[in-house]
Amino acid sequence: MNIYKLKICMVGEPGVGKTSLIKRYVYGVFSEIISKRWEPTYTKKR
Ligand SMILES: Nc1nc2c(ncn2[C@@H]2O[C@H](COP(=O)(O)OP(=O)(O)OP(=O)(O)O)[C@@H](O)[C@H]2O)c(=O)[nH]1
Ligand SMILES: [Mg+2]
């Protein structure tokens, strides 16, 4: 079986839910609290 390492870059308008989507997928959590604006988010999921 081949194992692929992918890097995904999420870009979009401010406040559309990019960080929320990433945190939901990687950590399984969703927060209504607005994250700090313009803060890049780097996460890793195996
Ligand atoms: N109801 C609802 N709220 C959401 C959803 N996704 C994000 N939000 C809310 O929208 C707000 C902004 O979400 P962020 O994930 O911070 O958006 P972002 O695209 O990362 O914003 P920037 O980092 O400023 O570009 C937060 O208050 C989230 O809780 C969703 O699917 N449903
Ligand atoms: Mg964000």
Side-chain angles (χ1 to χ4, degrees):
M1 189 181 84
N2 294 325
I3 295 173
Y4 297 97
K5 283 175 80 175
L6 303 174
K7 284 186 182 179
I8 299 167
C9 180
M10 182 96 89
V11 291
E13 294 286 309
V16 295
K18 301 179 299 293
T19 300
S20 297
L21 197 63
I22 293 164
K23 285 182 176 171
R24 178 67 179 83
Y25 178 68
V26 176
Y27 305 116
V29 295
F30 177 78
S31 173
E32 291 286 341
I33 299 161
I34 299 167
S35 63
K36 197 175 145 213
R37 296 288 153 136
W38 308 112
E39 177 194 32
T41 308
Y42 303 96
T43 51
K44 198 185 271 188
K45 186 180 175 83
R46 289 177 190 272

